Coordinates of all heavy atoms in Angstrom, one line a residue:
M1 N -16.1 3.4 -4.5 CA -15.1 2.8 -3.7 C -14.5 1.6 -4.5 O -15.2 0.8 -5.1 CB -15.8 2.2 -2.5 CG -14.9 1.4 -1.5 SD -13.9 2.4 -0.4 CE -15.2 3.3 0.5
E2 N -13.2 1.6 -4.5 CA -12.4 0.6 -5.2 C -11.4 0.0 -4.3 O -11.0 0.6 -3.3 CB -11.7 1.2 -6.5 CG -12.6 1.6 -7.6 CD -11.9 2.1 -8.8 OE1 -10.6 2.2 -8.8 OE2 -12.6 2.4 -9.8
T3 N -10.9 -1.2 -4.6 CA -9.8 -1.9 -3.9 C -8.7 -2.0 -4.9 O -8.8 -2.6 -5.9 CB -10.3 -3.2 -3.4 OG1 -11.4 -3.1 -2.6 CG2 -9.2 -3.9 -2.5
W4 N -7.5 -1.5 -4.5 CA -6.3 -1.6 -5.3 C -5.3 -2.4 -4.6 O -5.1 -2.2 -3.4 CB -5.7 -0.2 -5.6 CG -6.5 0.7 -6.6 CD1 -7.8 0.5 -7.0 CD2 -6.1 1.9 -7.2 NE1 -8.2 1.5 -7.9 CE2 -7.2 2.3 -8.0 CE3 -4.9 2.6 -7.2 CZ2 -7.1 3.5 -8.8 CZ3 -4.8 3.7 -7.9 CH2 -5.9 4.2 -8.7
Q5 N -4.5 -3.2 -5.4 CA -3.4 -3.9 -4.8 C -2.1 -3.3 -5.4 O -2.0 -3.2 -6.7 CB -3.4 -5.4 -5.1 CG -2.2 -6.1 -4.7 CD -2.3 -7.6 -5.0 OE1 -3.1 -8.3 -4.4 NE2 -1.6 -8.0 -6.0
F6 N -1.2 -2.9 -4.6 CA 0.1 -2.4 -5.0 C 1.2 -3.5 -4.7 O 1.2 -4.0 -3.6 CB 0.5 -1.2 -4.3 CG -0.5 0.0 -4.4 CD1 -1.6 0.0 -3.7 CD2 -0.2 1.0 -5.4 CE1 -2.5 1.1 -3.8 CE2 -1.1 2.0 -5.5 CZ -2.3 2.1 -4.7
L7 N 2.1 -3.8 -5.6 CA 3.2 -4.7 -5.4 C 4.5 -3.9 -5.6 O 4.8 -3.5 -6.7 CB 3.2 -5.9 -6.3 CG 4.2 -6.9 -6.0 CD1 4.1 -7.5 -4.6 CD2 4.2 -8.0 -7.1
A8 N 5.2 -3.6 -4.4 CA 6.4 -2.7 -4.5 C 7.6 -3.6 -4.6 O 7.8 -4.5 -3.8 CB 6.4 -1.9 -3.2
H9 N 8.5 -3.3 -5.5 CA 9.7 -4.0 -5.7 C 10.9 -3.0 -5.4 O 10.7 -1.8 -5.5 CB 9.9 -4.4 -7.2 CG 8.8 -5.3 -7.7 ND1 9.0 -6.7 -7.9 CD2 7.6 -5.0 -8.1 CE1 7.9 -7.2 -8.4 NE2 7.0 -6.2 -8.5
G10 N 12.0 -3.6 -5.0 CA 13.2 -2.7 -4.7 C 13.6 -2.9 -3.3 O 13.5 -4.0 -2.8
I11 N 14.2 -1.9 -2.7 CA 14.6 -2.0 -1.3 C 13.4 -1.5 -0.5 O 13.2 -0.4 -0.2 CB 15.9 -1.1 -1.1 CG1 17.0 -1.5 -2.0 CG2 16.3 -1.1 0.4 CD1 18.2 -0.5 -2.0
V12 N 12.6 -2.5 -0.1 CA 11.3 -2.2 0.6 C 11.1 -3.1 1.8 O 10.1 -3.0 2.5 CB 10.1 -2.4 -0.4 CG1 10.1 -1.3 -1.4 CG2 10.1 -3.7 -1.1
Q13 N 12.1 -3.9 2.2 CA 12.0 -4.7 3.4 C 13.2 -4.4 4.3 O 14.3 -4.1 3.8 CB 12.0 -6.2 3.1 CG 10.7 -6.7 2.5 CD 10.5 -8.2 2.4 OE1 11.3 -8.9 3.1 NE2 9.6 -8.6 1.6
G14 N 13.0 -4.4 5.6 CA 14.1 -4.1 6.5 C 14.4 -2.6 6.6 O 15.5 -2.3 7.2
V15 N 13.6 -1.7 6.1 CA 13.9 -0.3 6.1 C 12.7 0.5 6.7 O 12.7 1.7 6.5 CB 14.3 0.2 4.7 CG1 15.6 -0.4 4.3 CG2 13.2 -0.1 3.7
G16 N 11.8 -0.1 7.4 CA 10.6 0.6 7.9 C 9.6 1.0 6.9 O 8.7 1.8 7.2
F17 N 9.6 0.3 5.8 CA 8.7 0.7 4.7 C 7.2 0.4 5.1 O 6.3 1.3 4.8 CB 9.0 -0.1 3.4 CG 8.2 0.2 2.2 CD1 8.2 1.5 1.7 CD2 7.4 -0.7 1.6 CE1 7.4 1.8 0.6 CE2 6.6 -0.5 0.5 CZ 6.6 0.8 0.0
R18 N 6.9 -0.7 5.7 CA 5.5 -1.0 6.1 C 5.0 0.1 7.0 O 3.8 0.4 6.9 CB 5.4 -2.4 6.7 CG 5.6 -3.5 5.7 CD 5.6 -4.9 6.4 NE 6.7 -5.0 7.4 CZ 6.7 -5.9 8.3 NH1 5.8 -6.7 8.5 NH2 7.7 -5.9 9.2
W19 N 5.8 0.5 7.9 CA 5.3 1.6 8.8 C 5.0 2.9 8.1 O 4.1 3.6 8.4 CB 6.2 1.7 10.0 CG 6.4 0.4 10.7 CD1 7.5 -0.4 10.6 CD2 5.5 -0.3 11.4 NE1 7.3 -1.5 11.3 CE2 6.0 -1.5 11.8 CE3 4.1 -0.1 11.8 CZ2 5.4 -2.5 12.6 CZ3 3.5 -1.0 12.6 CH2 4.1 -2.2 12.9
S20 N 5.9 3.2 7.1 CA 5.7 4.4 6.3 C 4.4 4.3 5.5 O 3.7 5.3 5.3 CB 6.9 4.6 5.4 OG 8.1 4.8 6.2
V21 N 4.2 3.1 5.0 CA 2.9 2.8 4.2 C 1.7 3.1 5.1 O 0.7 3.7 4.7 CB 2.9 1.4 3.6 CG1 1.5 1.0 3.1 CG2 4.0 1.3 2.5
Q22 N 1.8 2.5 6.3 CA 0.7 2.7 7.3 C 0.4 4.1 7.6 O -0.7 4.6 7.6 CB 1.0 1.9 8.6 CG -0.1 2.0 9.6 CD 0.2 1.3 10.9 OE1 1.3 1.2 11.3 NE2 -0.9 0.8 11.5
L23 N 1.5 4.9 7.8 CA 1.3 6.3 8.1 C 0.6 7.1 7.0 O -0.3 7.9 7.1 CB 2.6 7.0 8.5 CG 3.2 6.5 9.9 CD1 4.6 7.1 10.1 CD2 2.3 7.0 11.0
L24 N 1.1 6.8 5.7 CA 0.6 7.5 4.6 C -0.9 7.1 4.4 O -1.7 7.9 4.1 CB 1.4 7.1 3.3 CG 0.9 7.7 2.0 CD1 0.8 9.2 2.1 CD2 1.8 7.3 0.9
A25 N -1.2 5.8 4.5 CA -2.6 5.3 4.3 C -3.5 6.0 5.4 O -4.6 6.5 5.0 CB -2.7 3.8 4.4
Q26 N -3.1 6.1 6.6 CA -3.9 6.7 7.6 C -4.0 8.2 7.4 O -5.1 8.7 7.6 CB -3.3 6.4 9.0 CG -3.4 4.9 9.4 CD -2.7 4.6 10.7 OE1 -1.7 5.2 11.1 NE2 -3.1 3.5 11.3
K27 N -3.0 8.8 6.9 CA -3.1 10.2 6.6 C -4.2 10.5 5.6 O -4.9 11.5 5.7 CB -1.7 10.7 6.1 CG -1.7 12.2 5.7 CD -0.3 12.6 5.2 CE -0.4 13.0 3.7 NZ 0.8 13.4 3.1
L28 N -4.3 9.6 4.6 CA -5.2 9.8 3.5 C -6.6 9.1 3.8 O -7.5 9.2 3.0 CB -4.7 9.2 2.2 CG -3.4 9.9 1.7 CD1 -2.8 9.1 0.5 CD2 -3.7 11.3 1.3
G29 N -6.7 8.5 5.0 CA -8.0 7.8 5.4 C -8.3 6.6 4.6 O -9.5 6.3 4.4
L30 N -7.3 5.8 4.2 CA -7.4 4.6 3.5 C -7.3 3.4 4.3 O -6.2 3.1 4.9 CB -6.4 4.6 2.3 CG -6.5 5.7 1.3 CD1 -5.3 5.6 0.4 CD2 -7.8 5.5 0.5
P31 N -8.3 2.5 4.4 CA -8.2 1.3 5.1 C -7.5 0.3 4.2 O -7.5 0.4 3.0 CB -9.6 0.8 5.4 CG -10.4 1.5 4.3 CD -9.7 2.8 4.0
G32 N -6.8 -0.7 4.8 CA -6.2 -1.8 4.1 C -5.1 -2.5 4.8 O -5.2 -2.6 6.1
T33 N -4.2 -3.1 4.1 CA -3.2 -4.0 4.7 C -1.8 -3.8 4.0 O -1.8 -3.4 2.8 CB -3.5 -5.5 4.7 OG1 -3.6 -5.9 3.3 CG2 -4.8 -5.8 5.4
V34 N -0.8 -4.1 4.7 CA 0.6 -4.1 4.0 C 1.3 -5.4 4.6 O 1.2 -5.6 5.8 CB 1.4 -2.8 4.3 CG1 1.6 -2.6 5.7 CG2 2.7 -2.8 3.5
R35 N 2.0 -6.1 3.8 CA 2.8 -7.2 4.3 C 4.0 -7.5 3.4 O 4.0 -7.2 2.2 CB 1.9 -8.5 4.3 CG 1.5 -9.0 2.9 CD 0.7 -10.3 3.0 NE -0.1 -10.5 1.8 CZ 0.4 -11.1 0.7 NH1 1.7 -11.5 0.7 NH2 -0.4 -11.3 -0.3
N36 N 5.1 -8.0 4.0 CA 6.3 -8.4 3.3 C 6.0 -9.8 2.6 O 5.3 -10.6 3.2 CB 7.4 -8.6 4.3 CG 8.0 -7.3 4.8 OD1 7.7 -6.3 4.2 ND2 8.8 -7.4 5.8
N37 N 6.6 -10.0 1.5 CA 6.5 -11.2 0.8 C 7.8 -12.0 0.8 O 8.9 -11.3 0.9 CB 6.1 -11.0 -0.7 CG 4.7 -10.3 -0.8 OD1 3.8 -10.7 -0.1 ND2 4.6 -9.3 -1.6
P38 N 7.8 -13.3 0.7 CA 9.1 -14.0 0.8 C 10.1 -13.7 -0.3 O 11.3 -13.8 -0.1 CB 8.6 -15.5 0.6 CG 7.2 -15.5 1.0 CD 6.7 -14.2 0.6
D39 N 9.6 -13.1 -1.4 CA 10.5 -12.8 -2.5 C 11.2 -11.4 -2.4 O 11.8 -10.9 -3.3 CB 9.8 -12.9 -3.9 CG 8.7 -11.9 -4.1 OD1 8.4 -11.1 -3.1 OD2 8.1 -11.9 -5.2
G40 N 10.9 -10.7 -1.3 CA 11.5 -9.4 -1.0 C 10.6 -8.2 -1.5 O 11.0 -7.1 -1.3
T41 N 9.5 -8.5 -2.0 CA 8.5 -7.4 -2.4 C 7.6 -7.2 -1.2 O 7.6 -7.9 -0.2 CB 7.7 -7.8 -3.6 OG1 6.9 -9.0 -3.3 CG2 8.6 -8.1 -4.8
V42 N 6.8 -6.1 -1.3 CA 5.8 -5.8 -0.3 C 4.4 -5.6 -1.0 O 4.4 -4.9 -2.0 CB 6.2 -4.5 0.4 CG1 5.0 -4.0 1.3 CG2 7.4 -4.7 1.2
T43 N 3.4 -6.2 -0.5 CA 2.0 -6.1 -1.0 C 1.2 -5.2 -0.1 O 1.2 -5.3 1.1 CB 1.3 -7.5 -1.1 OG1 2.1 -8.3 -2.0 CG2 -0.1 -7.3 -1.6
I44 N 0.6 -4.2 -0.8 CA -0.3 -3.2 -0.2 C -1.7 -3.4 -0.8 O -1.8 -3.4 -2.0 CB 0.2 -1.8 -0.4 CG1 1.7 -1.7 0.1 CG2 -0.7 -0.8 0.3 CD1 2.4 -0.5 -0.5
V45 N -2.7 -3.5 0.0 CA -4.1 -3.5 -0.4 C -4.8 -2.4 0.2 O -4.8 -2.3 1.5 CB -4.8 -4.9 -0.2 CG1 -6.2 -4.9 -0.6 CG2 -4.0 -6.0 -0.8
L46 N -5.4 -1.5 -0.5 CA -6.1 -0.4 0.0 C -7.5 -0.2 -0.6 O -7.7 -0.6 -1.8 CB -5.3 0.9 -0.3 CG -4.0 1.0 0.3 CD1 -3.2 2.2 -0.2 CD2 -4.0 1.1 1.8
Q47 N -8.4 0.4 0.1 CA -9.7 0.7 -0.4 C -10.0 2.2 -0.3 O -9.6 2.8 0.7 CB -10.9 0.0 0.4 CG -11.0 -1.4 0.0 CD -12.1 -2.1 0.7 OE1 -12.6 -1.6 1.8 NE2 -12.6 -3.2 0.2
G48 N -10.6 2.8 -1.3 CA -10.9 4.2 -1.3 C -11.4 4.7 -2.6 O -11.6 3.9 -3.6
E49 N -11.6 5.9 -2.7 CA -12.0 6.6 -4.0 C -10.8 6.6 -4.9 O -9.7 6.8 -4.4 CB -12.6 8.0 -3.7 CG -13.9 8.0 -2.9 CD -15.0 7.1 -3.5 OE1 -15.1 7.1 -4.7 OE2 -15.7 6.4 -2.7
P50 N -11.0 6.4 -6.2 CA -9.9 6.4 -7.1 C -9.0 7.6 -7.0 O -7.7 7.4 -7.1 CB -10.6 6.3 -8.5 CG -11.9 5.7 -8.2 CD -12.3 6.2 -6.9
E51 N -9.5 8.8 -6.8 CA -8.6 9.9 -6.7 C -7.7 9.9 -5.5 O -6.5 10.3 -5.5 CB -9.4 11.3 -6.8 CG -10.4 11.4 -5.7 CD -11.8 10.9 -6.0 OE1 -11.9 10.2 -7.1 OE2 -12.7 11.2 -5.3
T52 N -8.2 9.3 -4.4 CA -7.4 9.2 -3.2 C -6.4 8.1 -3.3 O -5.2 8.2 -2.9 CB -8.3 8.9 -1.9 OG1 -9.3 9.9 -1.9 CG2 -7.5 9.0 -0.6
L53 N -6.7 7.0 -4.0 CA -5.8 5.9 -4.3 C -4.7 6.4 -5.2 O -3.5 6.0 -5.0 CB -6.5 4.7 -4.8 CG -7.5 4.0 -3.9 CD1 -8.4 3.1 -4.6 CD2 -6.7 3.3 -2.8
R54 N -5.0 7.2 -6.2 CA -4.0 7.8 -7.1 C -3.0 8.7 -6.3 O -1.8 8.7 -6.5 CB -4.6 8.5 -8.2 CG -5.2 7.6 -9.3 CD -5.6 8.4 -10.6 NE -6.8 9.2 -10.4 CZ -8.0 8.7 -10.5 NH1 -8.2 7.5 -10.9 NH2 -9.1 9.5 -10.3
K55 N -3.6 9.5 -5.3 CA -2.7 10.3 -4.5 C -1.8 9.5 -3.7 O -0.6 9.8 -3.5 CB -3.6 11.2 -3.6 CG -2.8 12.2 -2.8 CD -3.7 13.2 -2.2 CE -3.0 14.3 -1.4 NZ -1.9 15.0 -2.1
F56 N -2.3 8.3 -3.1 CA -1.4 7.4 -2.4 C -0.3 6.9 -3.3 O 0.9 7.0 -2.9 CB -2.2 6.2 -1.9 CG -1.4 5.2 -1.2 CD1 -1.1 5.3 0.2 CD2 -0.8 4.1 -1.9 CE1 -0.3 4.3 0.8 CE2 0.0 3.2 -1.3 CZ 0.3 3.3 0.1
K57 N -0.6 6.5 -4.5 CA 0.4 6.0 -5.4 C 1.4 7.1 -5.7 O 2.6 6.8 -5.8 CB -0.3 5.6 -6.7 CG 0.7 5.0 -7.7 CD 0.0 4.6 -9.0 CE 1.0 4.2 -10.0 NZ 0.4 4.0 -11.3
E58 N 1.0 8.3 -5.9 CA 1.9 9.4 -6.2 C 2.8 9.7 -5.0 O 4.0 10.0 -5.2 CB 1.0 10.7 -6.5 CG 1.8 11.9 -6.8 CD 0.8 13.1 -7.0 OE1 0.0 13.0 -7.9 OE2 1.0 14.1 -6.2
E59 N 2.3 9.7 -3.8 CA 3.1 10.0 -2.6 C 4.0 8.8 -2.1 O 4.9 9.1 -1.3 CB 2.2 10.5 -1.5 CG 1.6 11.9 -1.8 CD 0.8 12.4 -0.6 OE1 1.0 12.0 0.5 OE2 -0.1 13.3 -0.9
L60 N 3.6 7.6 -2.4 CA 4.3 6.4 -1.9 C 5.8 6.5 -2.0 O 6.6 6.1 -1.1 CB 3.7 5.2 -2.5 CG 4.3 3.8 -1.9 CD1 4.0 3.7 -0.4 CD2 3.7 2.7 -2.7
P61 N 6.4 6.8 -3.2 CA 7.9 6.7 -3.4 C 8.6 7.6 -2.4 O 9.8 7.3 -2.0 CB 8.1 7.2 -4.8 CG 6.8 6.9 -5.5 CD 5.7 7.1 -4.5
S62 N 8.0 8.7 -1.9 CA 8.7 9.6 -0.9 C 8.2 9.3 0.5 O 8.6 10.1 1.4 CB 8.5 11.0 -1.3 OG 7.1 11.4 -1.3
A63 N 7.4 8.3 0.8 CA 6.9 8.0 2.1 C 8.0 7.6 3.1 O 7.9 7.9 4.3 CB 5.8 7.0 2.1
S64 N 9.0 6.9 2.6 CA 10.1 6.4 3.5 C 11.4 6.9 2.9 O 11.7 6.7 1.7 CB 10.1 4.9 3.5 OG 11.3 4.4 4.1
Q65 N 12.2 7.5 3.8 CA 13.5 8.0 3.3 C 14.5 6.9 3.0 O 15.5 7.1 2.3 CB 14.1 9.0 4.3 CG 14.5 8.4 5.6 CD 15.0 9.5 6.5 OE1 14.3 10.3 7.1 NE2 16.3 9.5 6.8
F66 N 14.2 5.7 3.5 CA 15.2 4.6 3.4 C 14.8 3.6 2.3 O 15.7 2.9 1.7 CB 15.4 3.9 4.7 CG 15.9 4.7 5.8 CD1 15.0 5.1 6.9 CD2 17.1 5.2 5.8 CE1 15.5 5.9 7.9 CE2 17.6 6.1 6.8 CZ 16.7 6.4 7.8
A67 N 13.5 3.5 2.0 CA 13.0 2.6 1.0 C 13.3 3.2 -0.4 O 13.3 4.4 -0.6 CB 11.6 2.3 1.1
K68 N 13.6 2.3 -1.4 CA 13.8 2.7 -2.8 C 13.0 1.8 -3.6 O 13.3 0.6 -3.8 CB 15.3 2.6 -3.2 CG 16.2 3.4 -2.3 CD 16.0 4.9 -2.6 CE 17.0 5.7 -1.8 NZ 16.4 6.6 -0.8
I69 N 11.8 2.3 -4.1 CA 11.0 1.5 -5.0 C 11.5 1.5 -6.4 O 11.6 2.6 -7.0 CB 9.5 2.0 -4.9 CG1 9.0 2.0 -3.5 CG2 8.6 1.3 -5.9 CD1 7.6 2.7 -3.3
S70 N 11.8 0.3 -6.9 CA 12.3 0.3 -8.3 C 11.2 0.0 -9.3 O 11.2 0.4 -10.5 CB 13.3 -0.8 -8.5 OG 12.8 -2.1 -8.1
R71 N 10.1 -0.6 -8.8 CA 8.9 -0.8 -9.7 C 7.7 -1.0 -8.8 O 7.8 -1.5 -7.7 CB 9.1 -2.1 -10.5 CG 8.0 -2.4 -11.5 CD 8.3 -3.5 -12.4 NE 7.6 -4.7 -11.9 CZ 8.1 -5.9 -11.9 NH1 9.3 -6.2 -12.4 NH2 7.4 -6.9 -11.5
L72 N 6.6 -0.4 -9.2 CA 5.3 -0.5 -8.5 C 4.2 -1.0 -9.4 O 3.8 -0.3 -10.3 CB 4.9 0.8 -7.9 CG 3.7 0.9 -7.0 CD1 4.0 0.0 -5.7 CD2 3.4 2.3 -6.6
D73 N 3.8 -2.3 -9.2 CA 2.7 -2.8 -10.0 C 1.4 -2.5 -9.3 O 1.3 -2.7 -8.1 CB 2.9 -4.3 -10.1 CG 4.2 -4.7 -10.8 OD1 4.7 -3.9 -11.6 OD2 4.7 -5.8 -10.4
V74 N 0.4 -2.1 -10.0 CA -0.9 -1.8 -9.5 C -2.0 -2.5 -10.2 O -2.0 -2.6 -11.4 CB -1.2 -0.3 -9.5 CG1 -2.5 0.1 -8.9 CG2 -0.1 0.5 -8.9
K75 N -3.0 -3.1 -9.5 CA -4.1 -3.7 -10.1 C -5.4 -3.5 -9.3 O -5.3 -3.4 -8.0 CB -3.9 -5.2 -10.4 CG -3.8 -6.1 -9.3 CD -3.7 -7.5 -9.8 CE -3.5 -8.5 -8.6 NZ -3.3 -9.9 -9.1
V76 N -6.5 -3.4 -9.9 CA -7.8 -3.2 -9.2 C -8.3 -4.6 -8.9 O -8.3 -5.5 -9.7 CB -8.8 -2.5 -10.1 CG1 -10.1 -2.4 -9.4 CG2 -8.3 -1.1 -10.4
L77 N -8.7 -4.8 -7.6 CA -9.2 -6.1 -7.2 C -10.8 -6.0 -7.2 O -11.3 -5.2 -6.5 CB -8.7 -6.5 -5.8 CG -7.2 -6.6 -5.6 CD1 -6.9 -6.9 -4.2 CD2 -6.6 -7.6 -6.5
P78 N -11.4 -6.9 -7.9 CA -12.9 -6.8 -8.0 C -13.6 -7.4 -6.7 O -13.0 -8.4 -6.1 CB -13.2 -7.6 -9.2 CG -12.1 -8.6 -9.3 CD -10.9 -7.9 -8.8
K79 N -14.7 -6.9 -6.4 CA -15.6 -7.5 -5.4 C -14.9 -7.9 -4.0 O -15.0 -9.0 -3.6 CB -16.3 -8.7 -5.9 CG -17.0 -8.4 -7.2 CD -18.4 -8.8 -7.2 CE -18.9 -8.5 -8.6 NZ -20.3 -8.4 -8.7
M80 N -14.2 -6.9 -3.5 CA -13.6 -7.2 -2.2 C -14.5 -6.7 -1.0 O -15.2 -5.8 -1.2 CB -12.3 -6.4 -2.1 CG -11.2 -6.8 -3.0 SD -10.5 -8.4 -2.5 CE -9.7 -8.1 -1.0
E81 N -14.4 -7.5 0.1 CA -15.2 -7.1 1.3 C -14.7 -5.8 1.8 O -13.5 -5.4 1.7 CB -15.0 -8.2 2.3 CG -15.9 -8.1 3.5 CD -15.8 -9.3 4.4 OE1 -15.7 -10.4 3.9 OE2 -15.7 -9.0 5.7
K82 N -15.6 -5.0 2.4 CA -15.3 -3.6 2.9 C -14.3 -3.7 4.0 O -14.5 -4.5 4.9 CB -16.6 -2.9 3.3 CG -16.3 -1.5 3.8 CD -17.6 -0.7 4.0 CE -17.3 0.6 4.6 NZ -16.4 1.5 3.9
M83 N -13.3 -2.9 3.9 CA -12.2 -2.8 5.0 C -12.6 -1.6 5.9 O -13.1 -0.6 5.4 CB -10.9 -2.7 4.4 CG -10.5 -3.9 3.5 SD -9.0 -3.5 2.6 CE -8.2 -5.1 2.7
H84 N -12.2 -1.7 7.2 CA -12.6 -0.6 8.1 C -11.4 0.1 8.7 O -11.6 1.1 9.2 CB -13.5 -1.2 9.2 CG -14.8 -1.7 8.6 ND1 -15.8 -0.9 8.2 CD2 -15.2 -3.0 8.3 CE1 -16.8 -1.6 7.7 NE2 -16.5 -2.9 7.8
S85 N -10.2 -0.6 8.7 CA -9.0 0.0 9.3 C -7.8 -0.4 8.5 O -7.9 -1.2 7.6 CB -9.0 -0.3 10.8 OG -8.9 -1.7 10.9
F86 N -6.6 0.0 9.0 CA -5.4 -0.4 8.4 C -4.6 -1.3 9.3 O -4.5 -1.0 10.5 CB -4.5 0.8 8.0 CG -3.4 0.5 7.1 CD1 -3.6 0.6 5.7 CD2 -2.2 0.0 7.6 CE1 -2.5 0.2 4.9 CE2 -1.2 -0.3 6.8 CZ -1.3 -0.2 5.4
H87 N -4.0 -2.4 8.7 CA -3.2 -3.3 9.5 C -1.9 -3.7 8.8 O -1.9 -3.9 7.6 CB -4.0 -4.6 9.7 CG -5.3 -4.5 10.4 ND1 -5.4 -4.3 11.7 CD2 -6.6 -4.4 9.9 CE1 -6.7 -4.1 12.1 NE2 -7.4 -4.2 11.0
V88 N -0.9 -3.7 9.6 CA 0.4 -4.3 9.2 C 0.4 -5.8 9.4 O 0.2 -6.2 10.6 CB 1.6 -3.6 9.9 CG1 2.9 -4.3 9.5 CG2 1.6 -2.1 9.6
L89 N 0.5 -6.6 8.4 CA 0.5 -8.0 8.5 C 1.9 -8.6 8.6 O 2.8 -8.1 8.0 CB -0.3 -8.7 7.4 CG -1.7 -8.1 7.1 CD1 -2.3 -8.8 5.9 CD2 -2.6 -8.4 8.3
Y90 N 2.0 -9.7 9.3 CA 3.3 -10.4 9.5 C 3.3 -11.7 8.9 O 2.3 -12.4 8.7 CB 3.7 -10.5 11.0 CG 3.8 -9.1 11.6 CD1 2.7 -8.5 12.2 CD2 5.0 -8.4 11.5 CE1 2.8 -7.3 12.8 CE2 5.1 -7.1 12.1 CZ 4.0 -6.6 12.7 OH 4.1 -5.3 13.3

């Protein structure tokens, strides 16, 4: 089990992107969070097996027909508390 943080840049706010992220994460059985940032980016934190997290990363660009990800930064977060569900944060 790993915890990954994704930082999505581009047209990712005001286009339903967080809800698309939630649907994709739930489809893949990944608990975590998604939130808008003041700088226009979106932060996604997910927990799961590395192969499932890689699948999420692969499918994310096509999860929303309106969002356009120009860059996606990914890092592994060490020693995170276990997450049990997915939440959209405000």
Side-chain angles (χ1 to χ4, degrees):
M1 178 81 60
E2 292 183 357
T3 304
W4 288 15
Q5 177 180 287
F6 301 83
L7 184 62
H9 301 258
I11 301 170
V12 291
Q13 288 191 17
V15 291
F17 183 64
R18 288 178 298 163
W19 303 108
S20 299
V21 168
Q22 180 180 30
L23 290 174
L24 178 57
Q26 289 173 336
K27 176 182 117 177
L28 296 173
L30 296 170
T33 61
V34 61
R35 67 177 161 84
N36 286 344
N37 300 314
D39 65 357
T41 61
V42 171
T43 299
I44 305 160
V45 177
L46 298 172
Q47 284 184 337
E49 296 304 320
E51 59 271 10
T52 309
L53 293 165
R54 281 190 289 274
K55 184 166 181 58
F56 176 89
K57 181 182 175 189
E58 179 184 300
E59 292 185 20
L60 183 61
S62 61
S64 168
Q65 69 183 71
F66 302 109
K68 301 289 183 244
I69 299 171
S70 61
R71 187 173 98 217
L72 186 64
D73 302 328
V74 183
K75 68 179 178 179
V76 177
L77 301 178
K79 307 231 182 204
M80 291 291 294
E81 189 173 315
K82 182 167 175 53
M83 300 171 140
H84 298 283
S85 60
F86 192 91
H87 299 281
V88 176
L89 305 177
Y90 297 94

